[in-house]
Amino acid sequence: MNKKKSLTLQDIADELGITKMTVSRYFREPERVAKATRERIAKIVENQGFVQNRAPSLMSKAITNTIGVVIPSLSNQVFASLVEGIESITQPAGFDILLAHSGYDARVEERKVAMLLSYRVDGLILCETSHTSKTINMIKQSGIPVVEAMELPESPLDMAVGMDHQRASYDTVSEMVRRGCRHVIYLAARLDNRTRLRQKGYEQAMWDAGLTPSSVATPFHSSFTQGQALMRQALNNYNKIDGVFCTNDDLAIGAMQYCLEKGIRVPYDMAVVGFNALDIGQAMKPRLTSVVTPREQIGIKSAELLLAAISGSRDTQRTFDLGYSLTEGKSW
Amino acid sequence: MNKKKSLTLQDIADELGITKMTVSRYFREPERVAKATRERIAKIVENQGFVQNRAPSLMSKAITNTIGVVIPSLSNQVFASLVEGIESITQPAGFDILLAHSGYDARVEERKVAMLLSYRVDGLILCETSHTSKTINMIKQSGIPVVEAMELPESPLDMAVGMDHQRASYDTVSEMVRRGCRHVIYLAARLDNRTRLRQKGYEQAMWDAGLTPSSVATPFHSSFTQGQALMRQALNNYNKIDGVFCTNDDLAIGAMQYCLEKGIRVPYDMAVVGFNALDIGQAMKPRLTSVVTPREQIGIKSAELLLAAISGSRDTQRTFDLGYSLTEGKSW
DNA sequence: ACTTGAAATGTTACTTGTAACATACTGTTT
DNA sequence: AAACAGTATGTTACAAGTAACATTTCAAGT
């Protein structure tokens, strides 16, 4: 079974003794086609499982009604919510999403952006702020609008929607200190930019409280078992820890489990705080305290801005801070 | 900043006083282009961030070097591994992946398949076995090869790679009984086909052991908090439970946490077994016993079969069972 | 000097849907 | 009967790469 020569508008037109133009109209402005003709076309389309070839309209039309989205990971609830937010806007607007993932690697992002641009997407949403120069070059050349989602880079490529990770971190760690923690350690996995920003906020908060920041990191990407390992390492390296601030909930859960295993009581002996407020943290005993990131809102706002820019009506504001909040659990 | 009229091969050719055919060759078979010319083209491509328009080649070439992949969810480690497996094969072979997600909904799958087919992908990998008739129609019409990954449907659309969920379930529950469980309850979230198959296996194992199966289900999609809720419900409804078999690890973790909270000791008072063997289960105390699904292998095999079929060399075998194993934790 | 052949580049026609404009046909109004 | 509006459909040219074949160029072999 080879790839068949696919059915075309012309094939349908021939079968009905009309021209492909009428069939083309059937799809784009059906009310312009006589009801009888419409039904005859519909019948063939149904029976034969006809799907239009998108290529010619990519060529002849300026707008393709597609946007490209590059997320770093396919298994992170954070980006799932982000994409959900995006789709809630793009789908009713008749836009398709081409999705790609970069594995947190700027060179992979470059490859994926090139692929998306080869399909002449009308806009891009990226979830990272560090890009290769080739990526930047290609995007500039294409002239399409871009939203960088999640962070608030100092000089965005174009537009940015996100929150201030460093500040969220600063505030949260400050509150840990206010609640009595004196030796808070920062646990970090593979260092992407958001991890670094959160670390900065943590360090600042510690210095400002007259305390000394210390962190434990792993080059592996974050996971529950890495969280365990980091907690073990932290306990080995430092002997007066009374709190850990984790770059995300995966690590926090792992850390909390390790404490449980070693008889370290959370929060009495050890405060554990995470970032992102995933569902898992809510199911834990004790319930995890975590920074809530407005990821679905970020997706919605990003898509709205992008569609506005595509249709030519840009906001003068380029950067949108959607803030953050906190789920207060029982882990601090 | 509007979408610019994008740079074309012709533009580059004009700038160098050659024809676009030579520039086209530069991309497809660079060794056929004189070194000097090659370098002149390269310079422009680099400087201007040129990206080829894919549309014309979608039209003029039979093969597009792309495959479409539809996964049900963007936040499930299971499908992340599957896609990783797929890409490990397709990328070195020069194939791009167009990714879409269906949210476990056959009508959304239909929309996404239509979108992918409109780009004339050379093959499809789907992760579900229940499709709308329109989906089936469109795929049949296109004539491209399809792999259904994860399960082993009785009559696959085309090819299938996966494992026997019912059997894995049967064996695992049988082992729970052998270890002394007498009142095992099945916990299920939103009923997709795999959940149903696992339930069947569970029920069969219970009947075969002379025991009565009972289950607790929720229409919501699975999550850790749903796991807690289901465990609560199970304990309310049935008063002699000594084990739960969960349709996946999310539910199992939630269930285990609920037990912990209520002072029910796992595994002494209650055995908890999950499905998929995610990292989180390994970080739990007690470590979760779970069925290991060979998802990366499924991805690899699916991609291999698909690429083989695209290049015209099909295996006679249509269905591939990659088996399963078990991580034995401390939760049974 | 002449042939040969391989390397480099060019020419032409084709892919399929769509914008823009043109035409045919119907029934209604004056 | 002529004019007209409105609906339905048709005609033509075009988008940007590529397959297939054609041509040019130039050094090597006789």
Side-chain angles (χ1 to χ4, degrees), chain A residues 186-224:
Chain A
Y186 179 68
L187 303 189
R190 175 160 54 184
L191 298 158
D192 71 343
N193 198 46
R194 286 181 279 276
T195 299
R196 259 184 307 255
L197 289 169
R198 291 169 197 167
Q199 177 157 17
K200 266 197 191 167
Y202 155 79
E203 286 172 352
Q204 223 175 309
M206 293 295 278
W207 291 125
D208 285 3
L211 303 170
T212 312
S214 325
S215 58
V216 179
T218 164
F220 297 106
H221 71 258
S222 95
S223 67
F224 303 98

mmCIF file of all heavy atoms in Angstrom, chain A residues 186-224:
data_model
loop_
_atom_site.group_PDB
_atom_site.id
_atom_site.type_symbol
_atom_site.label_atom_id
_atom_site.label_comp_id
_atom_site.label_asym_id
_atom_site.label_seq_id
_atom_site.Cartn_x
_atom_site.Cartn_y
_atom_site.Cartn_z
ATOM 1 N N TYR A 186 18.793 25.791 48.938
ATOM 2 C CA TYR A 186 18.090 25.805 47.643
ATOM 3 C C TYR A 186 18.422 24.531 46.898
ATOM 4 O O TYR A 186 19.592 24.184 46.714
ATOM 5 C CB TYR A 186 18.537 27.030 46.837
ATOM 6 C CG TYR A 186 17.903 27.152 45.472
ATOM 7 C CD1 TYR A 186 16.545 27.420 45.336
ATOM 8 C CD2 TYR A 186 18.666 27.021 44.315
ATOM 9 C CE1 TYR A 186 15.964 27.550 44.084
ATOM 10 C CE2 TYR A 186 18.085 27.160 43.063
ATOM 11 C CZ TYR A 186 16.730 27.418 42.953
ATOM 12 O OH TYR A 186 16.162 27.545 41.718
ATOM 13 N N LEU A 187 17.385 23.809 46.459
ATOM 14 C CA LEU A 187 17.608 22.580 45.688
ATOM 15 C C LEU A 187 17.266 22.830 44.220
ATOM 16 O O LEU A 187 16.155 23.249 43.901
ATOM 17 C CB LEU A 187 16.732 21.441 46.223
ATOM 18 C CG LEU A 187 16.873 21.059 47.701
ATOM 19 C CD1 LEU A 187 16.100 19.768 47.982
ATOM 20 C CD2 LEU A 187 18.330 20.880 48.091
ATOM 21 N N ALA A 188 18.224 22.539 43.349
ATOM 22 C CA ALA A 188 18.031 22.830 41.924
ATOM 23 C C ALA A 188 18.389 21.644 41.049
ATOM 24 O O ALA A 188 19.334 20.910 41.330
ATOM 25 C CB ALA A 188 18.884 24.021 41.510
ATOM 26 N N ALA A 189 17.621 21.466 39.974
ATOM 27 C CA ALA A 189 17.975 20.462 38.966
ATOM 28 C C ALA A 189 18.558 21.196 37.769
ATOM 29 O O ALA A 189 18.938 22.358 37.890
ATOM 30 C CB ALA A 189 16.743 19.668 38.574
ATOM 31 N N ARG A 190 18.631 20.531 36.675
ATOM 32 C CA ARG A 190 19.210 21.103 35.464
ATOM 33 C C ARG A 190 18.940 22.594 35.349
ATOM 34 O O ARG A 190 17.817 23.051 35.398
ATOM 35 C CB ARG A 190 18.631 20.394 34.243
ATOM 36 C CG ARG A 190 19.098 21.033 32.953
ATOM 37 C CD ARG A 190 18.949 20.118 31.808
ATOM 38 N NE ARG A 190 17.597 19.579 31.669
ATOM 39 C CZ ARG A 190 17.273 18.682 30.762
ATOM 40 N NH1 ARG A 190 18.186 18.195 29.968
ATOM 41 N NH2 ARG A 190 16.047 18.240 30.679
ATOM 42 N N LEU A 191 19.997 23.334 35.173
ATOM 43 C CA LEU A 191 19.885 24.778 35.260
ATOM 44 C C LEU A 191 19.353 25.421 34.000
ATOM 45 O O LEU A 191 20.112 25.770 33.105
ATOM 46 C CB LEU A 191 21.255 25.370 35.590
ATOM 47 C CG LEU A 191 21.815 24.911 36.946
ATOM 48 C CD1 LEU A 191 23.312 25.066 36.976
ATOM 49 C CD2 LEU A 191 21.168 25.678 38.076
ATOM 50 N N ASP A 192 18.065 25.574 33.907
ATOM 51 C CA ASP A 192 17.548 26.446 32.857
ATOM 52 C C ASP A 192 17.429 27.829 33.463
ATOM 53 O O ASP A 192 17.764 28.053 34.628
ATOM 54 C CB ASP A 192 16.228 25.931 32.282
ATOM 55 C CG ASP A 192 15.082 26.086 33.249
ATOM 56 O OD1 ASP A 192 15.344 26.281 34.443
ATOM 57 O OD2 ASP A 192 13.929 26.009 32.821
ATOM 58 N N ASN A 193 16.979 28.769 32.668
ATOM 59 C CA ASN A 193 17.010 30.149 33.122
ATOM 60 C C ASN A 193 16.098 30.402 34.316
ATOM 61 O O ASN A 193 16.424 31.157 35.212
ATOM 62 C CB ASN A 193 16.651 31.083 31.967
ATOM 63 C CG ASN A 193 17.092 32.498 32.263
ATOM 64 O OD1 ASN A 193 18.212 32.701 32.712
ATOM 65 N ND2 ASN A 193 16.205 33.458 32.057
ATOM 66 N N ARG A 194 14.937 29.732 34.313
ATOM 67 C CA ARG A 194 14.007 29.966 35.426
ATOM 68 C C ARG A 194 14.597 29.482 36.746
ATOM 69 O O ARG A 194 14.436 30.112 37.780
ATOM 70 C CB ARG A 194 12.666 29.294 35.134
ATOM 71 C CG ARG A 194 11.870 30.051 34.075
ATOM 72 C CD ARG A 194 10.538 29.423 33.786
ATOM 73 N NE ARG A 194 10.619 28.294 32.873
ATOM 74 C CZ ARG A 194 10.635 28.385 31.561
ATOM 75 N NH1 ARG A 194 10.599 29.567 30.974
ATOM 76 N NH2 ARG A 194 10.698 27.315 30.801
ATOM 77 N N THR A 195 15.308 28.356 36.681
ATOM 78 C CA THR A 195 15.983 27.858 37.876
ATOM 79 C C THR A 195 16.973 28.887 38.401
ATOM 80 O O THR A 195 17.077 29.133 39.596
ATOM 81 C CB THR A 195 16.726 26.554 37.541
ATOM 82 O OG1 THR A 195 15.765 25.593 37.110
ATOM 83 C CG2 THR A 195 17.466 26.023 38.742
ATOM 84 N N ARG A 196 17.680 29.506 37.479
ATOM 85 C CA ARG A 196 18.678 30.509 37.875
ATOM 86 C C ARG A 196 18.025 31.737 38.494
ATOM 87 O O ARG A 196 18.493 32.274 39.498
ATOM 88 C CB ARG A 196 19.503 30.929 36.653
ATOM 89 C CG ARG A 196 20.875 30.249 36.601
ATOM 90 C CD ARG A 196 21.663 30.780 35.430
ATOM 91 N NE ARG A 196 20.865 30.648 34.214
ATOM 92 C CZ ARG A 196 21.079 29.734 33.271
ATOM 93 N NH1 ARG A 196 22.069 28.888 33.375
ATOM 94 N NH2 ARG A 196 20.298 29.671 32.210
ATOM 95 N N LEU A 197 16.925 32.168 37.905
ATOM 96 C CA LEU A 197 16.226 33.341 38.444
ATOM 97 C C LEU A 197 15.723 33.061 39.850
ATOM 98 O O LEU A 197 15.808 33.895 40.744
ATOM 99 C CB LEU A 197 15.045 33.710 37.540
ATOM 100 C CG LEU A 197 15.419 34.306 36.195
ATOM 101 C CD1 LEU A 197 14.190 34.385 35.292
ATOM 102 C CD2 LEU A 197 16.018 35.700 36.381
ATOM 103 N N ARG A 198 15.198 31.848 40.025
ATOM 104 C CA ARG A 198 14.670 31.508 41.343
ATOM 105 C C ARG A 198 15.804 31.441 42.357
ATOM 106 O O ARG A 198 15.653 31.842 43.513
ATOM 107 C CB ARG A 198 13.918 30.169 41.277
ATOM 108 C CG ARG A 198 12.625 30.277 40.469
ATOM 109 C CD ARG A 198 11.994 28.939 40.164
ATOM 110 N NE ARG A 198 11.016 29.068 39.088
ATOM 111 C CZ ARG A 198 10.476 28.050 38.428
ATOM 112 N NH1 ARG A 198 10.820 26.797 38.731
ATOM 113 N NH2 ARG A 198 9.605 28.259 37.468
ATOM 114 N N GLN A 199 16.937 30.972 41.898
ATOM 115 C CA GLN A 199 18.087 30.910 42.793
ATOM 116 C C GLN A 199 18.516 32.316 43.216
ATOM 117 O O GLN A 199 18.798 32.563 44.393
ATOM 118 C CB GLN A 199 19.259 30.199 42.094
ATOM 119 C CG GLN A 199 20.521 30.164 42.945
ATOM 120 C CD GLN A 199 21.463 29.046 42.556
ATOM 121 O OE1 GLN A 199 21.343 28.484 41.478
ATOM 122 N NE2 GLN A 199 22.393 28.716 43.440
ATOM 123 N N LYS A 200 18.542 33.214 42.254
ATOM 124 C CA LYS A 200 18.912 34.596 42.557
ATOM 125 C C LYS A 200 18.008 35.175 43.627
ATOM 126 O O LYS A 200 18.463 35.823 44.567
ATOM 127 C CB LYS A 200 18.783 35.467 41.297
ATOM 128 C CG LYS A 200 20.051 35.628 40.502
ATOM 129 C CD LYS A 200 19.865 36.818 39.563
ATOM 130 C CE LYS A 200 20.966 36.921 38.539
ATOM 131 N NZ LYS A 200 20.584 37.884 37.463
ATOM 132 N N GLY A 201 16.704 34.974 43.454
ATOM 133 C CA GLY A 201 15.738 35.491 44.424
ATOM 134 C C GLY A 201 15.978 34.898 45.792
ATOM 135 O O GLY A 201 15.939 35.602 46.811
ATOM 136 N N TYR A 202 16.262 33.611 45.801
ATOM 137 C CA TYR A 202 16.551 32.926 47.058
ATOM 138 C C TYR A 202 17.762 33.540 47.746
ATOM 139 O O TYR A 202 17.735 33.870 48.933
ATOM 140 C CB TYR A 202 16.782 31.433 46.778
ATOM 141 C CG TYR A 202 17.643 30.732 47.799
ATOM 142 C CD1 TYR A 202 17.116 30.330 49.030
ATOM 143 C CD2 TYR A 202 18.995 30.476 47.542
ATOM 144 C CE1 TYR A 202 17.909 29.693 49.972
ATOM 145 C CE2 TYR A 202 19.795 29.839 48.466
ATOM 146 C CZ TYR A 202 19.257 29.456 49.694
ATOM 147 O OH TYR A 202 20.046 28.833 50.616
ATOM 148 N N GLU A 203 18.824 33.715 46.972
ATOM 149 C CA GLU A 203 20.071 34.224 47.546
ATOM 150 C C GLU A 203 19.892 35.634 48.106
ATOM 151 O O GLU A 203 20.339 35.943 49.222
ATOM 152 C CB GLU A 203 21.187 34.210 46.496
ATOM 153 C CG GLU A 203 21.677 32.787 46.235
ATOM 154 C CD GLU A 203 22.641 32.674 45.064
ATOM 155 O OE1 GLU A 203 22.833 33.677 44.345
ATOM 156 O OE2 GLU A 203 23.187 31.562 44.871
ATOM 157 N N GLN A 204 19.204 36.444 47.344
ATOM 158 C CA GLN A 204 18.963 37.816 47.780
ATOM 159 C C GLN A 204 18.196 37.843 49.097
ATOM 160 O O GLN A 204 18.527 38.594 50.010
ATOM 161 C CB GLN A 204 18.136 38.503 46.705
ATOM 162 C CG GLN A 204 18.568 39.904 46.368
ATOM 163 C CD GLN A 204 17.727 40.388 45.193
ATOM 164 O OE1 GLN A 204 17.622 39.691 44.164
ATOM 165 N NE2 GLN A 204 17.117 41.539 45.337
ATOM 166 N N ALA A 205 17.171 36.992 49.150
ATOM 167 C CA ALA A 205 16.350 36.940 50.367
ATOM 168 C C ALA A 205 17.200 36.530 51.569
ATOM 169 O O ALA A 205 17.058 37.074 52.660
ATOM 170 C CB ALA A 205 15.186 35.969 50.185
ATOM 171 N N MET A 206 18.095 35.574 51.353
ATOM 172 C CA MET A 206 18.943 35.110 52.445
ATOM 173 C C MET A 206 19.895 36.218 52.898
ATOM 174 O O MET A 206 19.986 36.531 54.086
ATOM 175 C CB MET A 206 19.731 33.868 52.018
ATOM 176 C CG MET A 206 18.882 32.626 51.782
ATOM 177 S SD MET A 206 18.060 31.975 53.270
ATOM 178 C CE MET A 206 19.393 31.020 53.992
ATOM 179 N N TRP A 207 20.559 36.828 51.937
ATOM 180 C CA TRP A 207 21.482 37.918 52.284
ATOM 181 C C TRP A 207 20.743 39.019 53.026
ATOM 182 O O TRP A 207 21.195 39.494 54.071
ATOM 183 C CB TRP A 207 22.154 38.519 51.046
ATOM 184 C CG TRP A 207 23.140 37.628 50.353
ATOM 185 C CD1 TRP A 207 23.130 37.270 49.027
ATOM 186 C CD2 TRP A 207 24.300 36.996 50.920
ATOM 187 N NE1 TRP A 207 24.192 36.456 48.754
ATOM 188 C CE2 TRP A 207 24.931 36.263 49.878
ATOM 189 C CE3 TRP A 207 24.852 36.968 52.213
ATOM 190 C CZ2 TRP A 207 26.082 35.517 50.078
ATOM 191 C CZ3 TRP A 207 26.016 36.217 52.413
ATOM 192 C CH2 TRP A 207 26.604 35.504 51.348
ATOM 193 N N ASP A 208 19.588 39.407 52.507
ATOM 194 C CA ASP A 208 18.827 40.492 53.110
ATOM 195 C C ASP A 208 18.400 40.155 54.532
ATOM 196 O O ASP A 208 18.138 41.050 55.337
ATOM 197 C CB ASP A 208 17.582 40.826 52.271
ATOM 198 C CG ASP A 208 17.957 41.591 51.011
ATOM 199 O OD1 ASP A 208 19.172 41.803 50.783
ATOM 200 O OD2 ASP A 208 17.052 41.974 50.244
ATOM 201 N N ALA A 209 18.309 38.861 54.837
ATOM 202 C CA ALA A 209 17.925 38.461 56.199
ATOM 203 C C ALA A 209 19.160 38.213 57.054
ATOM 204 O O ALA A 209 19.054 37.734 58.181
ATOM 205 C CB ALA A 209 17.070 37.198 56.133
ATOM 206 N N GLY A 210 20.323 38.508 56.516
ATOM 207 C CA GLY A 210 21.558 38.305 57.254
ATOM 208 C C GLY A 210 21.961 36.838 57.330
ATOM 209 O O GLY A 210 22.713 36.440 58.217
ATOM 210 N N LEU A 211 21.472 36.028 56.403
ATOM 211 C CA LEU A 211 21.790 34.599 56.408
ATOM 212 C C LEU A 211 22.636 34.244 55.200
ATOM 213 O O LEU A 211 22.745 35.016 54.250
ATOM 214 C CB LEU A 211 20.490 33.787 56.386
ATOM 215 C CG LEU A 211 19.513 34.085 57.549
ATOM 216 C CD1 LEU A 211 18.172 33.405 57.299
ATOM 217 C CD2 LEU A 211 20.120 33.629 58.883
ATOM 218 N N THR A 212 23.221 33.080 55.222
ATOM 219 C CA THR A 212 24.097 32.670 54.124
ATOM 220 C C THR A 212 23.391 31.655 53.222
ATOM 221 O O THR A 212 22.972 30.608 53.702
ATOM 222 C CB THR A 212 25.365 32.007 54.684
ATOM 223 O OG1 THR A 212 25.881 32.840 55.716
ATOM 224 C CG2 THR A 212 26.407 31.819 53.588
ATOM 225 N N PRO A 213 23.268 31.985 51.955
ATOM 226 C CA PRO A 213 22.636 31.034 51.044
ATOM 227 C C PRO A 213 23.580 29.892 50.670
ATOM 228 O O PRO A 213 24.785 30.084 50.580
ATOM 229 C CB PRO A 213 22.323 31.879 49.812
ATOM 230 C CG PRO A 213 23.308 32.994 49.837
ATOM 231 C CD PRO A 213 23.654 33.238 51.282
ATOM 232 N N SER A 214 23.015 28.716 50.492
ATOM 233 C CA SER A 214 23.797 27.584 49.963
ATOM 234 C C SER A 214 22.848 26.753 49.123
ATOM 235 O O SER A 214 21.660 26.660 49.434
ATOM 236 C CB SER A 214 24.298 26.676 51.077
ATOM 237 O OG SER A 214 24.620 27.405 52.220
ATOM 238 N N SER A 215 23.380 26.134 48.103
ATOM 239 C CA SER A 215 22.471 25.338 47.292
ATOM 240 C C SER A 215 23.101 24.023 46.898
ATOM 241 O O SER A 215 24.315 23.837 46.959
ATOM 242 C CB SER A 215 22.042 26.118 46.061
ATOM 243 O OG SER A 215 23.180 26.471 45.325
ATOM 244 N N VAL A 216 22.234 23.101 46.529
ATOM 245 C CA VAL A 216 22.669 21.805 46.049
ATOM 246 C C VAL A 216 22.003 21.615 44.696
ATOM 247 O O VAL A 216 20.796 21.799 44.568
ATOM 248 C CB VAL A 216 22.222 20.690 47.015
ATOM 249 C CG1 VAL A 216 22.665 19.330 46.498
ATOM 250 C CG2 VAL A 216 22.790 20.950 48.406
ATOM 251 N N ALA A 217 22.792 21.261 43.702
ATOM 252 C CA ALA A 217 22.232 21.165 42.342
ATOM 253 C C ALA A 217 22.662 19.874 41.659
ATOM 254 O O ALA A 217 23.653 19.256 42.035
ATOM 255 C CB ALA A 217 22.678 22.358 41.514
ATOM 256 N N THR A 218 21.901 19.493 40.667
ATOM 257 C CA THR A 218 22.263 18.335 39.857
ATOM 258 C C THR A 218 22.128 18.720 38.389
ATOM 259 O O THR A 218 21.262 19.518 38.036
ATOM 260 C CB THR A 218 21.334 17.138 40.154
ATOM 261 O OG1 THR A 218 21.477 16.186 39.105
ATOM 262 C CG2 THR A 218 19.877 17.562 40.197
ATOM 263 N N PRO A 219 22.990 18.180 37.543
ATOM 264 C CA PRO A 219 22.871 18.485 36.121
ATOM 265 C C PRO A 219 21.732 17.706 35.458
ATOM 266 O O PRO A 219 21.326 18.026 34.350
ATOM 267 C CB PRO A 219 24.210 18.036 35.552
ATOM 268 C CG PRO A 219 24.692 16.985 36.490
ATOM 269 C CD PRO A 219 24.153 17.336 37.838
ATOM 270 N N PHE A 220 21.216 16.686 36.121
ATOM 271 C CA PHE A 220 20.122 15.904 35.543
ATOM 272 C C PHE A 220 18.845 16.723 35.579
ATOM 273 O O PHE A 220 18.714 17.649 36.359
ATOM 274 C CB PHE A 220 19.923 14.601 36.322
ATOM 275 C CG PHE A 220 21.115 13.706 36.250
ATOM 276 C CD1 PHE A 220 21.947 13.559 37.347
ATOM 277 C CD2 PHE A 220 21.419 13.030 35.075
ATOM 278 C CE1 PHE A 220 23.063 12.743 37.282
ATOM 279 C CE2 PHE A 220 22.528 12.219 35.005
ATOM 280 C CZ PHE A 220 23.358 12.070 36.110
ATOM 281 N N HIS A 221 17.895 16.347 34.748
ATOM 282 C CA HIS A 221 16.675 17.140 34.810
ATOM 283 C C HIS A 221 15.834 16.684 35.988
ATOM 284 O O HIS A 221 15.984 15.592 36.511
ATOM 285 C CB HIS A 221 15.922 17.159 33.479
ATOM 286 C CG HIS A 221 15.265 15.898 33.102
ATOM 287 N ND1 HIS A 221 15.789 15.044 32.185
ATOM 288 C CD2 HIS A 221 14.097 15.350 33.500
ATOM 289 C CE1 HIS A 221 14.986 14.022 32.046
ATOM 290 N NE2 HIS A 221 13.955 14.167 32.828
ATOM 291 N N SER A 222 14.985 17.588 36.408
ATOM 292 C CA SER A 222 14.326 17.393 37.689
ATOM 293 C C SER A 222 13.387 16.204 37.665
ATOM 294 O O SER A 222 12.758 15.899 36.667
ATOM 295 C CB SER A 222 13.572 18.657 38.074
ATOM 296 O OG SER A 222 12.231 18.574 37.678
ATOM 297 N N SER A 223 13.342 15.513 38.792
ATOM 298 C CA SER A 223 12.446 14.377 38.947
ATOM 299 C C SER A 223 12.279 14.140 40.439
ATOM 300 O O SER A 223 12.982 14.738 41.246
ATOM 301 C CB SER A 223 13.033 13.136 38.292
ATOM 302 O OG SER A 223 14.186 12.723 38.996
ATOM 303 N N PHE A 224 11.357 13.267 40.774
ATOM 304 C CA PHE A 224 11.110 12.990 42.175
ATOM 305 C C PHE A 224 12.333 12.330 42.807
ATOM 306 O O PHE A 224 12.743 12.686 43.895
ATOM 307 C CB PHE A 224 9.863 12.122 42.308
ATOM 308 C CG PHE A 224 8.654 12.761 41.683
ATOM 309 C CD1 PHE A 224 8.239 12.414 40.406
ATOM 310 C CD2 PHE A 224 7.952 13.742 42.361
ATOM 311 C CE1 PHE A 224 7.135 13.027 39.825
ATOM 312 C CE2 PHE A 224 6.839 14.360 41.789
ATOM 313 C CZ PHE A 224 6.439 13.995 40.515
#
